[in-house]
Amino acid sequence: MGLISNKVLVLAVVLAVVLFLATVWLWPRLARRGWRAVVGRVGLLLVTQVALFAAVGLAANRSFLFYGSWADLFGQEQDMGVVVDHGAGSKDVRVVGKEGLTVPGGSRPEVGGQIQKVVIAGERSGITSPAYVYLPPEYFQERYAKKTFPASVVLTGYPGTAENLIKGLKYPRTAYTQAKAGKMQPMILVMLRPTVAPPRDTECVDIPGGPQTETFFAEDLPKAVSETYRVGTKPRNWGFMGNSTGGYCALKIAVHHPDRYAAGAGFSAYYRAAEDVTTGDLFHGDDRLRKRGDLLWSLDHLPQGKSSFLVTTSKQGEGNLKGTLDFIKKVKSPARVSSITLESGGHNFNTWNREIPPGLVWMAGRLSAA
């Protein structure tokens, strides 16, 4: 039974209720003196509270999808290693699964589009990462058979899973409904988590002597996807978006690589690379690299390209309001910046689900298929 399944949650709730009733029923018998009675009372209270906290935790996780599986919860990896041959004729994207959207007619790709589970191998970075690729219905329709599509990379926060983008944040379904309503052009989504060198949080930087995450996202990924799907190779064909850590990554890659991505959208993003126990030593004492990881410093000291940025915050509930306002002030022509500021909204899925629909429309409006 999966971590976010209904069966696990129901089982945890039933167990908590049974233990509570057992405590009430047995308490009179354990009220007498003696070490056995004391141990019995302590044991009942302890297991009942553990069961209660487990039920509440499972319910919260199911709502917000902090962890997508037991392996994710305990810091383990489920995906087996993938051998990638780099000889002639090999590809850097390997499709390992396909599924349709849960919409009317969704089993037919030309009606509901398709989500493909893939493995992306980075030629320059040496990083290999699982991902999901959403292909809109038009991709499979005959009249679009020779057309290219714009694409956007979509990242979760840390330590999220790519499944969160499908189940919790509903990117494919939202893109489908927004395009069907005529609010945005059809767009391919490449969905994955920023943790491409698990379990380390690399903050999407090239770590000296370590994972070259920035190279993977800025160069390897768009190249591999464009060689596999009908996506152009010009900056105007590519966007980057994400929430929390993924939002920082999206803005960072767009700020530093306007020659690869024309637009970057950060939902509840922060603006300087985190440095803590999850990241380890990112910069190895190189102050230049540390400053470059500060997006506000980068906007002040590095040339700004013809990029478009979208940043989001809220007046109450988010901790990035000041940083967001500073980011907006520092963007200069030829770059452009847009923003979403909610009256209130915390750092959670409920907030991001309010920002993603207009964010997808914004992104599609900044990209070109040709």
Side-chain angles (χ1 to χ4, degrees), residues 19-356:
L19 287 171
F20 174 77
L21 294 175
T23 301
V24 174
W25 179 259
L26 295 173
W27 197 260
R29 300 183 185 182
L30 299 173
R32 56 183 180 271
R33 296 179 180 179
W35 68 269
R36 292 182 179 178
V38 172
V39 170
R41 293 196 296 269
V42 172
L44 274 176
L45 289 173
L46 181 62
V47 296
T48 301
Q49 290 187 21
V50 169
L52 178 61
F53 283 122
V56 172
L58 286 168
N61 185 68
R62 192 173 184 278
S63 296
F64 297 104
L65 289 177
F66 297 120
Y67 300 96
S69 67
W70 294 108
D72 186 35
L73 175 64
F74 293 111
Q76 301 169 339
E77 289 302 309
Q78 287 184 319
D79 293 313
M80 298 294 291
V82 178
V83 177
V84 179
D85 296 321
H86 293 284
S90 68
K91 285 190 174 182
D92 294 329
V93 176
R94 189 163 74 92
V95 180
V96 296
K98 300 178 181 179
E99 62 180 84
L101 268 66
T102 53
V103 297
S107 60
R108 297 163 54 198
E110 68 274 17
V111 176
Q114 190 176 81
I115 299 173
Q116 297 187 352
K117 187 173 183 178
V118 304
V119 176
I120 301 175
E123 183 178 344
R124 291 195 59 185
S125 66
I127 290 174
T128 298
S129 177
Y132 290 92
V133 176
Y134 164 70
L135 302 171
E138 291 81 2
Y139 190 87
F140 301 94
Q141 295 171 7
E142 187 175 352
R143 58 177 174 156
Y144 292 96
K146 296 183 179 180
K147 299 289 186 180
T148 59
F149 290 79
S152 180
V153 179
V154 185
L155 295 189
T156 66
Y158 177 85
T161 65
E163 289 84 354
N164 289 350
L165 299 169
I166 300 172
K167 298 176 182 178
L169 296 177
K170 303 179 179 65
Y171 270 95
R173 175 179 283 274
T174 303
Y176 169 86
T177 56
Q178 296 291 73
K180 191 174 180 63
K183 296 181 179 180
M184 61 175 274
Q185 64 176 322
M187 184 168 62
I188 292 173
L189 303 177
V190 184
M191 300 169 287
L192 64 168
R193 60 179 185 169
T195 317
V196 293
R200 189 175 188 181
D201 176 11
T202 60
E203 294 291 297
C204 294
V205 305
D206 283 348
I207 301 174
Q212 303 296 286
T213 313
E214 183 172 339
T215 296
F216 175 79
F217 284 120
E219 299 185 32
D220 290 340
L221 187 151
K223 178 178 181 294
V225 171
S226 292
E227 290 176 351
T228 306
Y229 300 98
R230 298 198 307 274
V231 181
T233 59
K234 297 177 180 178
R236 65 173 179 266
N237 307 137
W238 281 91
F240 210 129
M241 57 202 310
N243 61 277
S244 191
T245 300
Y248 165 76
C249 288
L251 295 174
K252 170 185 168 50
I253 300 298
V255 166
H256 292 152
H257 300 275
D259 58 328
R260 292 289 189 271
Y261 293 90
F267 304 114
S268 301
Y270 48 88
Y271 302 97
R272 183 173 62 186
E275 294 182 76
D276 53 33
V277 294
T278 66
T279 66
D281 188 356
L282 291 178
F283 306 110
H284 291 256
D286 191 326
D287 190 56
R288 180 186 61 85
L289 293 179
R290 179 174 281 103
K291 287 179 178 178
R292 187 174 179 273
D294 184 334
L295 302 187
L296 302 182
W297 182 93
S298 294
L299 291 176
D300 281 339
H301 296 88
L302 301 179
Q304 297 189 29
K306 295 181 179 180
S307 306
S308 295
F309 304 106
L310 172 66
V311 289
T312 76
T313 188
S314 62
K315 296 178 181 178
Q316 292 183 342
E318 282 281 19
N320 73 335
L321 178 59
K322 183 180 184 303
T324 298
L325 295 176
D326 289 342
F327 185 92
I328 292 170
K329 292 177 183 177
K330 292 177 182 294
V331 173
K332 306 297 182 185
S333 180
R336 298 180 295 170
V337 63
S338 305
S339 65
I340 297 174
T341 303
L342 303 177
E343 288 297 319
S344 65
H347 201 78
N348 55 51
F349 278 37
N350 289 335
T351 296
W352 300 327
N353 276 319
R354 296 158 63 193
E355 298 167 341
I356 288 170

